[in-house]
Amino acid sequence: MKFKFKRLMFLGASPYQLPAIKKAKELGCIVITVSKDLTEIGHCYSDLSLKLSTIEKQKVLEAAIEYKIDAIMTYAANAAVETVSFVAEKLQLPGNPIEAAIVLQDKGKFRNMQKRIGLPYPEFIVYNEDSNVKDIYDLLEKTGEIIIKPVDSGGSRGQSIIDCQDKLNKALKYAIDNSMSKEIIIEKKLNKTMLELDGDVFFQNGKIAFSYYGHNYFKKNSKFNVPVGEIFPGVFNEEVERNLDEQFQSIITELNLNSGCINFDGFKVGEDIYIIDIALRNGGIFVPNMIQLSSGFDMTEASIYSAFGECYLVKKEYSRKPIVSYILNSYQEGLFNGYEVKSEYIDKIVFEHQIAEVGDEVNEFSIGDNTLGVVAFEFNDLNEAVDFINTVEDIVTVVVDSKKRAKGTSGFRVSPFVQNKLKHAENNSDSTVQRVLKNQFYINTTPDQRRNEKSMLKHYEASSLFEFENKRLLGLERLYRRVLIIEPMLQCLANCRHCLRQFYSPFALSQDDLNRIARSISKLPELEDVRELLITGGDPLLVPSKIIRFLDELERHPHNIKIVRIASRIPIHQPSAINDNILSLFKRKYSFQIEMATQINHSVELFPEVKEAFLKIREYVNIYNQTVLLKDVNNSVEELINVCDEMRYLGIENHYLFHCVPIKGSEHFRTTIDESLSLVKQLTTSGYLSGRAKPQLALMTDIGKITLYEKSIIKREDSRILLQTSYRYDDRIKWNPYWELPESTIVDKDGFMQVWYYDKRS
């Protein structure tokens, strides 16, 4: 805990800045995050969040004085670099001169500095609305192709490449509109003789301490000049590295820089190397993470040491593992519906961070702001890595639905993680893993798997017609007095063949829909008895930020909620998806308790990665499980004991053993009621399980869950049984006035409901 109790003001809280915020916490810092948007993920990991613009230097300074900070920094974004130097200078904190920040922030000033100190630079013109456009015509005629961009923005915002005068006025306006200073730069377009250069440079005491260079690469057939990923280390000789080091040392010396990080993009043209773009901060889109994966050097930690004016230890030797990152992106506007990686490349993945969530509106990848996430792969040699970037768009597939709503759960879909585990099982002749995974997730249309004439498309009907603020509340179900079911979406990472909701009409609620539900909970008389929310679907952890905003909205109003349960199988389908976005949801503190519900059906599903994912969640919330009893998957005492034991060891509460519901396509999964009761009896009276690990057998009927006790079964008729319940019809109508008595249900003389349930023919 190097900086225990030291106060670090961190400007920004975006996903790209999260690695530094988390690293600062690991080092013991008290972190104060600053941004205009308090819903950004970084605020979930800091000790204090301030709603301030990071470019309002005076207001940030006042906050820094108020909170008596020991250091200030930013990371992975340009906007706050000047503010960091301003505050550090005013408070005499470690930092770099504000004049240097201004030069490196402004492309025109930087080009003039390159020219002044003798570094390579492209021909350029700095232009504003009062300048003479004739100079640009002359440069275009001389060079044949020019780049026009703002002097003070990054991520390709406002940038155009033109080759004729007809396009000039439009390009100038586009650049000026994206420039805060209303000043732009026009440059000769250089023709690279190798992949574009990029990387980070760490310097301390005015000297380069560590530099690591690689390449940007770009989409095929894209009209936009936006990198789609990086490759580290670079495919070049030591002379290129030496040239870059010399140029950066000249810049550091000229600007009297003391300690920190520089990120850049550059070109090699013939024998000349040009630094094209530069920034006084670490690289964005997780470049420091890629450098650490490749070299072992922690640029993020080094930058925090610099913020405190502490010397960071740099070793003499570092590794050079080939790492390729790929920016998840879309060719079109639409709704994001996840991404998939070809199974043979799953084992090469060493980093994943998804920014967009299922159901989010996304844009064509025209600027860096349209990034949907990042996936990184490790290779055995650089040649393999270079070959990969030529085919990556066929290997990583981003699914974007151009229709008005995201895709539903119909169709055949198996998560890449499960596909990969099945492939390994087949290669290793592991029949148990093959049986469990194939039977649950893969379609097999043998005769006994056809729809039974008694089976249903839906297992119960509890949808509400509640209205609030003159609109119907979508995605709500209510069967019980204290529990309200909320379904933000019906998308999932895979299609479990026994899924209860696979035949529901697909939908995805908007943030406005969810926030309206949050407000209604405190104000609708029909919901005054609700004490628990069950957020399910689909898989709500596909949209963690939506859930956070929903819970934040709920907390802003008076409510009676004591527990919020969030149901998910993501740890089983894709454990690497249990990332910072999801964990930030479970880390948040509310007046109600958050729990997670999951479904583990067999002990072999608990692969090491799956266990690790569940343990990450268990650090923050309790987890409970409902195991579905499935024929040819887990319908043996030994298998049930194993899964109960494994869950107990992970600290997961074993809640229900669920009888497979008689819905379309599930007949082959079902055991008879008598077989199920026999299994539970052996399971709970064998002495093999602790009492705390013993599940109850539950049936989902047309009127809700029923746990079987003595005299629960009051009649048998062919392939169905009549169950006595303690559900009162009058109560049900009170809790959900829109609920209708199913044909399978009888109200007895005392007002309790009896319900017919289809058993499997023995």
Side-chain angles (χ1 to χ4, degrees), residues 251-282:
I251 293 167
I252 291 165
T253 302
E254 174 68 17
L255 295 177
N256 196 28
L257 297 175
N258 178 39
S259 184
C261 289
I262 292 173
N263 174 252
F264 86 106
D265 295 323
F267 294 166
K268 186 175 187 293
V269 181
E271 296 304 312
D272 295 323
I273 295 174
Y274 297 81
I275 296 173
I276 299 299
D277 287 310
I278 192 168
L280 189 55
R281 43 79 175 169
N282 299 80

Coordinates of all heavy atoms in Angstrom, one line a residue, residues 251-282:
I251 N 11.8 16.2 -27.3 CA 10.6 16.9 -26.9 C 10.5 17.1 -25.4 O 10.2 18.2 -24.9 CB 9.4 16.1 -27.3 CG1 9.3 16.1 -28.9 CG2 8.1 16.6 -26.7 CD1 8.3 15.1 -29.4
I252 N 10.9 16.1 -24.6 CA 10.9 16.1 -23.2 C 11.9 17.3 -22.7 O 11.5 18.1 -21.8 CB 11.4 14.8 -22.6 CG1 10.3 13.7 -22.8 CG2 11.7 14.9 -21.1 CD1 10.7 12.3 -22.6
T253 N 13.0 17.3 -23.3 CA 14.0 18.4 -22.9 C 13.5 19.8 -23.3 O 13.6 20.7 -22.5 CB 15.4 18.1 -23.6 OG1 15.8 16.8 -23.2 CG2 16.4 19.1 -23.2
E254 N 13.0 19.9 -24.5 CA 12.6 21.2 -25.0 C 11.4 21.8 -24.1 O 11.4 23.0 -23.8 CB 12.1 21.1 -26.4 CG 11.4 22.3 -27.0 CD 12.4 23.5 -27.2 OE1 13.6 23.2 -27.2 OE2 12.0 24.6 -27.4
L255 N 10.5 20.9 -23.7 CA 9.4 21.4 -22.9 C 9.6 21.3 -21.4 O 8.7 21.6 -20.6 CB 8.1 20.5 -23.3 CG 7.7 20.7 -24.8 CD1 6.5 19.8 -25.0 CD2 7.3 22.1 -25.0
N256 N 10.8 20.9 -21.0 CA 11.1 20.9 -19.6 C 10.1 19.9 -18.8 O 9.7 20.2 -17.7 CB 11.1 22.3 -19.0 CG 11.8 22.3 -17.6 OD1 12.7 21.5 -17.3 ND2 11.4 23.2 -16.8
L257 N 9.8 18.8 -19.4 CA 9.0 17.8 -18.8 C 9.7 17.1 -17.7 O 10.9 16.8 -17.9 CB 8.4 16.8 -19.8 CG 7.6 17.4 -21.0 CD1 7.2 16.3 -22.0 CD2 6.3 18.0 -20.4
N258 N 9.0 16.8 -16.6 CA 9.7 16.1 -15.5 C 9.4 14.6 -15.4 O 10.2 13.8 -15.6 CB 9.2 16.8 -14.2 CG 9.8 16.2 -13.0 OD1 11.0 15.7 -13.0 ND2 9.1 16.0 -11.9
S259 N 8.1 14.3 -15.2 CA 7.7 12.9 -15.0 C 6.3 12.6 -15.5 O 5.4 13.5 -15.3 CB 7.8 12.5 -13.6 OG 7.6 11.1 -13.4
G260 N 6.1 11.5 -16.2 CA 4.8 11.2 -16.7 C 4.8 10.2 -17.9 O 5.8 9.5 -18.1
C261 N 3.7 10.2 -18.6 CA 3.6 9.4 -19.8 C 3.2 10.2 -21.0 O 2.5 11.2 -20.9 CB 2.6 8.3 -19.6 SG 3.1 7.0 -18.4
I262 N 3.7 9.7 -22.2 CA 3.4 10.3 -23.5 C 2.8 9.2 -24.4 O 3.4 8.1 -24.4 CB 4.6 10.9 -24.2 CG1 5.1 12.2 -23.4 CG2 4.3 11.3 -25.6 CD1 6.4 12.8 -23.9
N263 N 1.7 9.5 -25.0 CA 1.2 8.6 -26.0 C 1.3 9.2 -27.4 O 1.2 10.4 -27.5 CB -0.3 8.3 -25.7 CG -0.9 7.4 -26.8 OD1 -1.8 7.9 -27.6 ND2 -0.6 6.2 -26.9
F264 N 1.5 8.4 -28.4 CA 1.7 9.0 -29.8 C 1.2 8.1 -30.9 O 0.9 6.9 -30.7 CB 3.1 9.3 -30.0 CG 3.9 8.1 -30.6 CD1 4.3 8.1 -31.9 CD2 4.2 7.0 -29.8 CE1 5.0 7.0 -32.4 CE2 4.9 5.9 -30.3 CZ 5.3 5.9 -31.6
D265 N 1.0 8.7 -32.1 CA 0.8 8.0 -33.3 C 1.9 8.5 -34.3 O 2.2 9.7 -34.3 CB -0.6 8.2 -33.9 CG -1.7 7.6 -33.0 OD1 -1.5 6.5 -32.4 OD2 -2.7 8.2 -33.0
G266 N 2.4 7.6 -35.1 CA 3.5 8.1 -36.0 C 3.5 7.3 -37.3 O 2.9 6.2 -37.4
F267 N 4.3 7.8 -38.3 CA 4.4 7.2 -39.6 C 5.9 7.0 -39.9 O 6.7 7.8 -39.5 CB 3.9 8.1 -40.7 CG 2.4 8.3 -40.7 CD1 1.8 9.3 -41.5 CD2 1.5 7.5 -39.9 CE1 0.5 9.5 -41.5 CE2 0.2 7.7 -39.9 CZ -0.4 8.7 -40.7
K268 N 6.2 5.9 -40.6 CA 7.5 5.7 -41.2 C 7.3 5.9 -42.7 O 6.5 5.2 -43.3 CB 8.1 4.3 -40.9 CG 9.5 4.2 -41.4 CD 10.1 2.8 -40.9 CE 11.6 2.7 -41.3 NZ 11.8 2.7 -42.7
V269 N 8.0 6.9 -43.2 CA 7.9 7.2 -44.7 C 9.3 7.1 -45.2 O 10.2 8.0 -45.0 CB 7.3 8.6 -44.9 CG1 7.2 8.8 -46.4 CG2 5.9 8.7 -44.2
G270 N 9.6 6.0 -45.9 CA 11.0 5.8 -46.4 C 11.9 5.6 -45.2 O 11.6 4.7 -44.4
E271 N 12.9 6.4 -45.0 CA 13.8 6.3 -43.9 C 13.4 7.3 -42.8 O 14.0 7.2 -41.7 CB 15.2 6.5 -44.3 CG 15.8 5.5 -45.3 CD 15.7 4.1 -44.7 OE1 16.0 3.8 -43.6 OE2 15.2 3.2 -45.5
D272 N 12.4 8.1 -43.0 CA 12.0 9.1 -42.0 C 10.9 8.6 -41.2 O 10.0 7.9 -41.6 CB 11.6 10.4 -42.8 CG 12.8 11.0 -43.5 OD1 13.9 11.0 -43.0 OD2 12.5 11.6 -44.6
I273 N 10.9 9.1 -39.9 CA 9.9 8.7 -39.0 C 9.3 10.0 -38.4 O 10.0 10.9 -38.0 CB 10.4 7.9 -37.8 CG1 10.9 6.6 -38.3 CG2 9.4 7.7 -36.7 CD1 11.6 5.7 -37.3
Y274 N 7.9 10.1 -38.5 CA 7.2 11.3 -38.2 C 6.3 11.0 -36.9 O 5.6 10.1 -36.9 CB 6.3 11.8 -39.3 CG 7.0 12.2 -40.6 CD1 7.5 11.3 -41.5 CD2 7.2 13.6 -40.8 CE1 8.1 11.6 -42.6 CE2 7.9 13.9 -42.0 CZ 8.3 13.0 -42.9 OH 8.9 13.4 -44.1
I275 N 6.4 11.9 -35.9 CA 5.4 11.8 -34.8 C 4.2 12.7 -35.3 O 4.3 13.9 -35.4 CB 6.0 12.4 -33.5 CG1 7.2 11.5 -33.1 CG2 4.9 12.4 -32.4 CD1 7.9 12.0 -31.9
I276 N 3.1 12.0 -35.5 CA 1.9 12.7 -36.1 C 1.1 13.3 -35.0 O 0.7 14.5 -35.1 CB 1.2 11.8 -37.0 CG1 2.0 11.3 -38.2 CG2 -0.1 12.4 -37.5 CD1 2.5 12.4 -39.1
D277 N 0.7 12.5 -34.0 CA -0.2 13.0 -32.9 C 0.5 12.6 -31.6 O 1.2 11.6 -31.5 CB -1.6 12.3 -33.0 CG -2.4 12.8 -34.1 OD1 -2.5 14.1 -34.2 OD2 -3.0 12.0 -34.9
I278 N 0.4 13.5 -30.6 CA 1.0 13.3 -29.3 C 0.1 13.7 -28.2 O -0.7 14.6 -28.4 CB 2.4 14.0 -29.3 CG1 3.2 13.6 -28.1 CG2 2.2 15.5 -29.3 CD1 4.7 14.1 -28.2
A279 N 0.3 13.1 -27.1 CA -0.6 13.5 -25.9 C 0.2 13.3 -24.6 O 1.0 12.3 -24.5 CB -1.9 12.7 -25.8
L280 N 0.1 14.2 -23.7 CA 0.8 14.1 -22.4 C 0.0 13.3 -21.4 O -0.5 13.8 -20.4 CB 1.1 15.5 -21.8 CG 2.0 15.6 -20.6 CD1 3.3 15.0 -20.9 CD2 2.1 17.1 -20.2
R281 N -0.2 12.0 -21.7 CA -0.9 11.1 -20.9 C -0.8 9.7 -21.5 O -0.3 9.5 -22.6 CB -2.4 11.5 -20.8 CG -3.1 11.9 -22.1 CD -3.5 10.8 -23.0 NE -4.3 11.2 -24.1 CZ -4.6 10.4 -25.1 NH1 -4.2 9.1 -25.2 NH2 -5.3 10.8 -26.2
N282 N -1.3 8.7 -20.8 CA -1.2 7.3 -21.3 C -2.2 7.2 -22.5 O -3.1 7.9 -22.7 CB -1.7 6.3 -20.2 CG -0.8 6.4 -19.0 OD1 -0.9 7.3 -18.2 ND2 0.1 5.4 -18.9

